[in-house]
């Protein structure tokens, strides 16, 4: 990791991309790192576009918005088409496998995984897609230990849904093949 | 594991208010301040307090003033459109000398504007939103921890000077989450209003001893009855048309802030000692400025920061003193140039004053500030 790891999470309102960004910021704080999380959304509660950001660093973070993401999550085609062109060449993009990666992206830097389908079929609840994504992203970059991530998730979910959400984390983790993980681990070590 | 918790600026306001002793919130939720109402609804009942969602912002301030007059520290939170609606009763609070805290998490205006986008366009409204000549204290935080600390301070100043205090937030800080370690509430200095339980002669509920500016408050609803009004009034609280009495009272209201400006004003200076250029900004804009200054310092450019933490009264004297040696002041604000006017008034004739602003709902970036500092002369000039 350079001095800051800048993450951007995009999708449509209601998909929980803001919560996904909050969980990574929380995990960083639990671990004793610096983190800043922010978000942008339209006036609609659901259905509008949604963008959330999280910056993790060993040092103090001032400017709170992500300018040059190291990582982009896209859960909708609209979000992907909108944010992909702004990416620097070395950014890693995770997309739901139902989406088509635009030509501007280097296929080597695109990780296409069945986030939405796994949430629905393997976890059994479509609304856990964001937590599935969290599990997958964490595994891809080897960001946080399991207990830190679970603690971060626990702080932001309704009581009684821990088991469901931890299962979603595991399903997400399982979406990342070991060789894929090894590819990005070193360059993004925190 | 770290003791820090991830907290949003808006949440920190509620925790700060509770730590300061606030036990009453009345408001009408509006983006980007909604989390303050939400969190108040959750937290206040847990500490024996009261949360009321009102029908609108006029009623919100009215309820807050009523609660405070009755002895409970009270606050409300809103954004631009609601802040406009609150102005009449904010003036009432200033005239009747009722302590309370009004939080304005600014969004892009005018009117309903860009509901979810950052702005600092209410800077002048915070000063001149309500009519007539009136005292104003407004504080503006630039981080989540400072949102907590300045909320405590807003209540303290409000209680000490018996006047509504405005916490002028922006969406950048209100919606941002960061790791914070909150101070132990028992270690905070908490001011509470000076009370007078003495049933004085002639019902002088606004009596002020010679050389002082702030009357002690009588408990409302207990003991001696007294009158609360927005009309010009004498020491009994009852309306008067006596121009000498009315004028002296308004002068005292202005004086209690003006004569205590040194107590009220706080500023922050970073790397100013050898600075040739000072970035002057407030609230969340500091965050971009800090990265810009760090980058420019690495290149050997002598740039520092002057930040009014108390944004009203404007720290004119402090700016003159701390920036006396600075050749150029770059005012950076998320508006079309509001604090700029105050800086232009305070700057020395030889000092160049430039401006970088933003009114489209996007955030000023560190690169924008670097470009403004390294670029040609700005749009505005002091002379």
């Amino acid at each position: 990791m350079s001095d800051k790891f800048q993450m951007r999470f995009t999708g449509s309102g209601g998909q929980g991309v803001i919560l996904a960004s909050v969980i990574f910021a929380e995990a960083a704080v639990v671990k004793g790192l610096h983190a800043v999380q922010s978000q942008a959304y339209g006036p609609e509660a659901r259905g509008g576009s949604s963008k959330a950001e999280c910056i993790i660093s060993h040092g103090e973070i001032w400017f709170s918005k992500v300018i040059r993401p190291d990582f982009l999550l896209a859960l909708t085609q609209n979000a992907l088409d909108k944010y992909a062109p702004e990416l620097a060449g070395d950014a890693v993009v995770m997309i739901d496998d139902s989406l088509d990666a635009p030509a501007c992206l280097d296929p080597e830097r695109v990780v296409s995984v069945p986030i939405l389908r796994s949430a629905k079929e393997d976890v059994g609840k479509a609304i856990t897609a964001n937590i599935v994504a969290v599990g997958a992203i964490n595994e891809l970059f080897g960001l946080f230990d399991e207990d830190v991530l679970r603690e971060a998730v626990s702080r932001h979910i309704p009581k009684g849904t821990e088991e469901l959400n931890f299962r979603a984390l595991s399903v997400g983790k399982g979406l990342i093949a070991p060789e894929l993980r090894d590819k990005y681990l070193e360059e993004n070590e925190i | 594991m770290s003791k820090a918790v991830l907290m949003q600026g808006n949440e920190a306001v509620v925790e700060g208010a509770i730590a300061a002793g606030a036990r009453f919130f009345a408001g009408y939720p509006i983006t980007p301040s909604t989390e303050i109402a939400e969190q108040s609804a959750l937290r206040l009942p847990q500490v024996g307090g009261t949360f009321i969602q009102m029908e609108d912002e006029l009623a919100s301030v009215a309820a807050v003033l009523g609660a405070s007059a009755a002895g409970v520290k009270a606050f409300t939170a809103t954004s631009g459109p609601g802040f406009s609606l609150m102005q009449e009763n904010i003036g009432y609070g200033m005239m009747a000398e009722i302590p309370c805290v009004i939080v304005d998490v600014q969004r892009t205006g005018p009117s309903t504007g860009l509901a979810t986008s950052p702005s600092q366009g209410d800077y002048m409204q915070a000063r001149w939103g309500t009519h007539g000549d009136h005292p104003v204290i407004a504080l503006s935080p630039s981080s989540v921890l400072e949102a907590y600390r300045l909320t405590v301070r807003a209540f303290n100043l409000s209680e000490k000077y018996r006047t509504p205090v405005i916490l002028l937030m922006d969406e950048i800080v209100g919606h941002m989450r960061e790791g914070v370690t909150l101070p132990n509430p028992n270690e905070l200095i908490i001011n509470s209003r000076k009370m007078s339980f003495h049933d004085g002669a002639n019902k002088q509920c606004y009596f002020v001893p010679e050389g002082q500016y702030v009357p002690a408050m009588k408990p409302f609803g207990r003991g001696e009855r007294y009158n609360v009004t927005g009309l010009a009034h004498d020491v009994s609280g009852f309306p008067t048309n006596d121009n000498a009495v009315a004028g002296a009272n308004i002068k005292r209201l202005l004086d209690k802030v003006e004569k205590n400006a040194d107590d009220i004003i706080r500023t922050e200076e970073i790397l100013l000692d050898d600075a040739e250029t000072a970035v002057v900004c407030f609230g969340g804009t500091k965050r971009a400025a800090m990265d810009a200054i760090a980058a420019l310092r690495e290149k050997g450019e002598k740039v520092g920061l002057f930040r009014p933490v108390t944004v009203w009264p404007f720290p004119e004297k402090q700016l003159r003193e701390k920036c006396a040696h600075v050749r150029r002041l770059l005012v950076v604000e998320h508006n079309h140039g509001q604090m700029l006017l105050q800086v232009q008034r305070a700057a020395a004739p030889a000092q160049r004053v430039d401006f970088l602003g933003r009114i489209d709902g996007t955030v000023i970036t560190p690169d924008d500030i670097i470009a403004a500092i390294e670029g040609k002369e700005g749009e505005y000039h002091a002379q």
Side-chain angles (χ1 to χ4, degrees):
Chain A
M1 188 177 81
S2 58
D3 62 330
K4 284 180 192 165
F5 189 55
Q6 307 195 51
M7 310 169 84
R8 180 173 285 166
F9 306 77
T10 64
S12 73
Q15 280 186 317
V17 296
I18 293 176
L19 182 60
S21 71
V22 168
I23 287 168
F24 280 109
E26 185 78 68
V29 169
V30 169
K31 196 177 167 179
L33 296 168
H34 291 265
V36 167
Q37 182 276 344
S38 66
Q39 61 219 25
Y41 45 81
E44 318 88 346
R46 285 181 187 77
S49 69
S50 183
K51 177 182 84 169
E53 296 173 342
C54 169
I55 306 172
I56 299 172
S57 173
H58 286 284
E60 191 143 24
I61 303 163
W62 284 110
F63 188 59
S64 56
K65 310 283 178 185
V66 166
I67 298 173
R68 190 181 175 284
D70 299 298
F71 169 76
L72 171 71
L73 170 73
L75 291 181
T76 63
Q77 192 69 45
N78 273 349
L80 181 59
D81 294 343
K82 183 171 175 188
Y83 295 107
E86 311 174 354
L87 291 174
D90 57 351
V92 177
V93 185
M94 182 183 284
I95 63 173
D96 185 71
D97 71 349
S98 63
L99 311 183
D100 299 318
C104 64
L105 292 178
D106 172 4
E108 280 289 299
R109 311 295 291 179
V110 177
V111 178
S112 176
V113 280
I115 296 166
L116 302 176
R117 184 162 48 95
S118 303
K120 201 171 167 189
E121 293 174 6
D122 301 334
V123 186
K125 280 231 186 266
I127 58 159
T128 61
N130 58 341
I131 308 296
V132 171
V134 167
I137 296 162
N138 191 61
E139 180 67 5
L140 185 65
F141 297 112
L143 291 173
F144 299 105
D145 291 343
E146 194 95 3
D147 59 332
V148 170
L149 195 63
R150 284 185 170 212
E151 169 65 22
V153 169
S154 300
R155 290 185 187 181
H156 293 279
I157 55 169
K159 280 211 164 29
T161 66
E162 287 81 1
E163 202 190 322
L164 177 73
N165 282 294
F166 292 166
R167 194 161 75 238
L169 281 181
S170 303
V171 167
K173 184 179 177 181
L175 295 179
I176 304 300
E179 57 272 22
L180 201 53
R181 183 189 61 204
D182 297 342
K183 186 172 156 188
Y184 299 112
L185 252 182
E186 205 166 309
E187 60 183 277
N188 290 296
E189 197 176 348
I190 293 184
Chain B
M1 288 192 185
S2 160
K3 268 194 211 161
V5 291
L6 187 73
M7 187 171 276
Q8 196 182 46
N10 282 342
E11 289 175 66
V13 167
V14 178
E15 293 307 317
I18 289 171
R23 291 295 181 269
F24 184 91
F25 178 100
Y28 188 83
I30 177 172
T31 302
S33 75
T34 304
E35 294 84 1
I36 299 177
E38 273 179 351
Q39 201 64 17
S40 295
L42 178 75
R43 292 282 288 120
L44 282 173
Q46 293 172 355
V47 293
T50 304
F51 169 90
I52 308 180
Q53 178 164 332
M54 301 301 293
E55 64 269 37
D56 60 29
E57 288 86 350
L58 286 81
S60 300
V61 181
V64 161
L65 294 177
S68 179
V72 183
K73 290 185 187 178
F75 70 122
T76 188
T78 189
S79 186
F83 195 46
S84 294
L85 290 173
M86 288 181 177
Q87 292 303 330
E88 182 178 359
N89 276 338
I90 292 174
Y92 184 96
M94 289 164 180
M95 187 63 150
E97 299 183 73
I98 303 173
C100 65
V101 172
I102 314 283
V103 185
D104 174 22
V105 187
Q106 300 166 88
R107 67 190 218 179
T108 306
S111 190
T112 32
L114 294 163
T116 56
S117 299
S119 165
Q120 297 180 313
D122 302 352
Y123 177 70
M124 280 295 174
Q125 193 190 12
R127 179 65 189 90
W128 296 113
T130 197
H131 55 277
D133 289 294
H134 55 272
V136 168
I137 300 172
L139 317 175
S140 187
S142 63
S143 70
V144 173
L145 182 61
E146 198 178 34
Y148 176 93
R149 289 193 177 280
L150 288 188
T151 302
V152 173
R153 188 148 199 273
F155 275 99
N156 283 348
L157 292 170
S158 162
E159 294 287 317
K160 187 171 179 181
Y161 294 109
R162 274 190 74 173
T163 191
V165 171
I166 293 158
L167 186 72
L168 195 63
M169 302 255 289
D170 48 56
E171 192 274 349
I172 299 170
V173 175
H175 268 169
M176 180 180 71
R177 288 181 178 84
E178 59 182 343
V180 290
T181 307
L182 296 184
N184 180 345
N186 298 326
E187 288 164 11
L188 297 171
I189 294 168
I190 304 295
N191 293 344
S192 290
R193 61 196 70 172
K194 202 167 142 193
M195 297 292 292
S196 164
F197 297 95
H198 178 66
D199 283 0
N202 307 319
K203 303 190 175 190
Q204 294 190 334
C205 59
Y206 284 101
F207 170 75
V208 182
E210 188 72 32
Q212 292 185 27
Y213 297 97
V214 187
M217 256 179 117
K218 295 252 186 210
F220 195 80
R222 275 186 290 157
E224 189 175 77
R225 282 186 292 170
Y226 69 95
N227 194 51
V228 180
T229 180
L231 286 166
H233 48 267
D234 59 21
V235 289
S236 75
F238 281 93
T240 177
N241 280 327
D242 183 325
N243 297 104
V245 172
N249 193 44
I250 295 164
K251 182 68 168 50
R252 178 181 61 78
L253 294 182
L254 296 169
D255 277 352
K256 73 177 175 181
V257 170
E258 280 173 20
K259 305 278 188 196
N260 290 298
D262 286 347
D263 179 47
I264 294 165
I265 287 173
R266 293 287 182 275
T267 60
E268 181 181 38
E269 298 84 27
I270 292 167
L271 298 171
L272 259 192
D273 289 349
D274 65 341
E276 290 167 1
T277 298
V279 174
V280 181
C281 64
F282 68 100
T285 308
K286 174 193 170 184
R287 307 188 71 94
M290 289 297 287
D291 281 353
I293 289 166
L296 289 166
R297 282 270 166 184
E298 242 172 58
K299 289 200 260 178
E301 294 186 40
K302 291 177 174 166
V303 184
L305 177 123
F306 178 84
R307 178 172 69 100
V309 177
T310 304
V311 294
W312 292 115
F314 182 74
E316 217 171 294
K317 185 181 81 178
Q318 289 77 359
L319 177 79
R320 279 200 203 101
E321 282 170 11
K322 308 280 185 184
C323 297
H325 60 289
V326 171
R327 290 215 293 257
R328 181 186 180 200
L329 300 162
L330 175 70
V331 182
V332 184
E333 305 175 78
H334 286 82
N335 59 40
H336 199 49
Q338 297 192 15
M339 186 177 275
L340 170 68
L341 301 171
Q342 299 304 119
V343 176
Q344 285 173 331
R345 286 167 69 165
Q351 276 177 324
R352 187 172 134 185
V353 180
D354 291 332
F355 176 67
L356 171 65
R358 191 62 65 82
I359 51 171
D360 63 358
T362 60
V363 181
I364 295 170
T365 66
D367 282 348
D368 294 333
I369 297 173
I370 291 169
I373 288 173
E374 292 186 328
K376 296 190 181 98
E377 198 159 315
E379 196 182 337
Y380 297 88
H381 198 282
Q383 290 163 294

